[in-house]
Amino acid sequence: MGRSRKITSQLPVEQVAGNGLLDRRLLLKSGAFFAGAMTTGVAGGIASAAAEPLKVDPWSLTIGAPVPPYATPSRFEAKVVRTVGDPSRPGTMQGRTPHHLLDGMITPAALHFVVARAGAPDIDPDQHKLVIHGMVRQPLVFSYNDLLRYPMESHIRFLECGGNSAPMWSKTPIQANVQALHGLLSCSEWTGVRLSTLLDEAGVDPRATWMIAEGADGVSMQRSIPIAKAMDDAMIVFYQNGERIMPWNGYPMRLFLPGYEGNMNVKWLRRLRLTTEPVMAINESRQYTLLLDSGKAWRFYYPQEVKSFVTKPSPGMTMPSPGYYEITGVSYSGHGRISKVEVSADGGKSWGLAALSGPVLPKAITRFRMPWNWTGAPATVMSRATDEAGNVQPTREQLIAERGAPRNTPPVGAFPMEHVNCISSWAVDAKGEVSHVYV
Ligand SMILES: Nc1nc2c(c(=O)[nH]1)N[C@H]1C(S)=C(S)[C@@H](COP(=O)(O)O)O[C@H]1N2
Ligand SMILES: [Mo]
């Protein structure tokens, strides 16, 4: 009332990169621009509100559902679920996060990805113990409640399986959605104690160079952690997004190594042994190694490198009509903060800077957003992240040049190639259908 709303009948002609990418600063401007863009048919579908009264829907005429003690999302969101492995093959038990259906930086605990070689053990926290021994002045045994009395810290950090995105290694682009291609990645707020506090209490022998972490699950998973990481930002965590860690993610406690390969983050943690040699468990001698063309393998390759992918639009989606869209996706680096994300809509010929949704935290998912005026012509959408250490996400070709040609064609879900962080490309055809392509 009183103020006339400025209607912008056309999107500005000015683009920051080819195929309709617009200036990210538009996202900071007043909503009037978007209000105009959406109702003048540019976005193709927001009906202009005639001055008719709203119809009264049945849900407005009754008392609603009572408050459940523990809530789950609306029944209309029933498709927002993990895709899970075959439970009859316990060794492959896993669940993938549906990034194409989420927004923001936090993954709900119930949708956090899972890799659990022997499923989730049913651990009674009152009976669970954590032992620190080996090359220490004073071996220690902690009960769960002992540990909860130490000073706590909370940090928002991503976790990614070293085998995430392995389908990108396939010789031809696998036609699957973002969940299948990149779903072994999640980001939570983790709360627990700094590992260095406990190690200091045990008194680590200065000659110790490795810490062997062991889980209490059916495979007694073990991984060797360099002592420098153990003393740096490693944590033992009990809470995930404010509630106790889910059974599948390590209840009642797990090791958390910010930025490091998912596999090293031993769940259901029960033992830390200080020593001078790595344990050479299967997860570090065979799995989570990188076999090169030379026949040699990289072992003990820890940080998850800088990476990003577009979640919207992404394969399996259809863009209903030409007009205004927001391209959005996730970016992260095991080396620190994301410093920038560039987006291309023309297959990498030209790039524009995306807006980063704050807070931009180290070793956490940073969501990026890019305004886009899709003309209806075929386009290829990509994102390229750079971290504060100066690492730039490589193209698939660059990654292949570094590691050798693809040696096999993995099915979706297999992990033959670790640490795949290359750029993903999504093609939008003239019908608006989005598919996975290599450029
Ligand atoms: N004890 C134990 N720890 C484990 C695993 C396991 O099977 N057992 N899986 C590892 C792997 S391969 C990954 S990628 C991460 C996954 O953590 P999440 O299931 O909480 O996402 O946990 C790691 N820690
Ligand atoms: Mo993993």
Side-chain angles (χ1 to χ4, degrees), residues 113 115 117 160-163 184 261-263 288 415:
F113 90 87
V115 178
R117 296 278 147 70
E160 184 181 34
C161 177
L184 298 176
E261 184 176 82
N263 184 266
Y288 300 98
F415 305 162

Side-chain angles (χ1 to χ4, degrees), residues 112-115 117 161 217 249 254 262-263 265 267 288:
H112 195 284
F113 90 87
V114 174
V115 178
R117 296 278 147 70
C161 177
D217 51 337
N249 302 113
R254 80 178 301 166
N263 184 266
N265 294 255
K267 299 189 276 189
Y288 300 98

Side-chain angles (χ1 to χ4, degrees), residues 60-321:
S60 302
L61 295 171
T62 67
I63 300 296
V67 181
Y70 198 94
T72 50
S74 158
R75 66 191 173 95
F76 298 103
E77 301 301 317
K79 288 202 186 99
V80 186
V81 289
R82 294 186 287 219
T83 43
V84 296
D86 176 0
S88 69
R89 296 172 58 219
T92 65
M93 255 188 244
Q94 53 163 270
R96 289 169 175 261
T97 299
H99 287 290
H100 57 305
L101 303 173
L102 301 177
D103 206 320
M105 68 189 291
I106 299 284
T107 312
L111 297 176
H112 195 284
F113 90 87
V114 174
V115 178
R117 296 278 147 70
D122 184 26
I123 297 178
D124 175 351
D126 291 337
Q127 292 183 43
H128 182 78
K129 297 270 187 290
L130 173 68
V131 176
I132 301 183
H133 69 143
M135 295 173 71
V136 292
R137 190 170 10 89
Q138 172 67 55
L140 297 171
V141 184
F142 299 92
S143 72
Y144 184 56
N145 285 317
D146 292 339
L147 288 170
L148 291 177
R149 294 174 61 185
Y150 282 83
M152 297 265 191
E153 292 181 10
S154 299
H155 298 285
I156 296 175
R157 299 288 181 255
F158 81 85
L159 185 69
E160 184 181 34
C161 177
N164 195 27
S165 313
M168 297 295 290
W169 213 253
S170 164
K171 284 179 184 145
T172 52
I174 291 176
Q175 292 312 320
N177 65 10
V178 149
Q179 183 169 22
L181 299 175
H182 301 307
L184 298 176
L185 157 80
S186 301
C187 184
S188 295
E189 184 203 48
W190 300 98
T191 298
V193 300
R194 269 207 182 229
L195 182 55
S196 61
T197 310
L198 305 180
L199 292 179
D200 284 344
E201 188 165 336
V204 175
D205 184 327
R207 287 166 302 172
T209 47
W210 293 89
M211 180 186 79
I212 316 301
E214 184 185 284
D217 51 337
V219 288
S220 300
M221 207 196 88
Q222 291 186 321
R223 271 303 300 250
S224 311
I225 319 297
I227 199 80
K229 183 67 172 176
M231 295 305 270
D232 180 20
D233 57 355
M235 298 175 75
I236 295 178
V237 293
F238 315 102
Y239 292 85
Q240 178 183 7
N241 298 339
E243 62 186 344
R244 295 280 163 93
I245 298 180
M246 285 280 178
W248 300 268
N249 302 113
Y251 183 87
M253 65 183 75
R254 80 178 301 166
L255 183 61
F256 198 82
L257 304 172
Y260 273 25
E261 184 176 82
N263 184 266
M264 301 175 75
N265 294 255
V266 174
K267 299 189 276 189
W268 312 295
L269 185 68
R270 68 168 197 156
R271 186 203 301 269
L272 296 170
R273 182 165 62 84
L274 283 299
T275 176
T276 55
E277 301 279 347
V279 69
M280 298 310 275
I282 181 170
N283 283 294
E284 59 198 36
S285 54
R286 187 166 165 273
Q287 293 165 354
Y288 300 98
T289 64
L290 255 163
L291 185 61
L292 301 175
D293 273 347
S294 63
K296 292 199 170 183
W298 287 0
R299 282 176 171 169
F300 303 109
Y301 176 40
Y302 304 137
Q304 294 297 117
E305 301 288 344
V306 64
K307 185 161 158 185
S308 70
F309 53 90
V310 171
T311 55
K312 238 191 298 177
S314 64
M317 293 181 181
T318 302
M319 318 225 321
S321 62

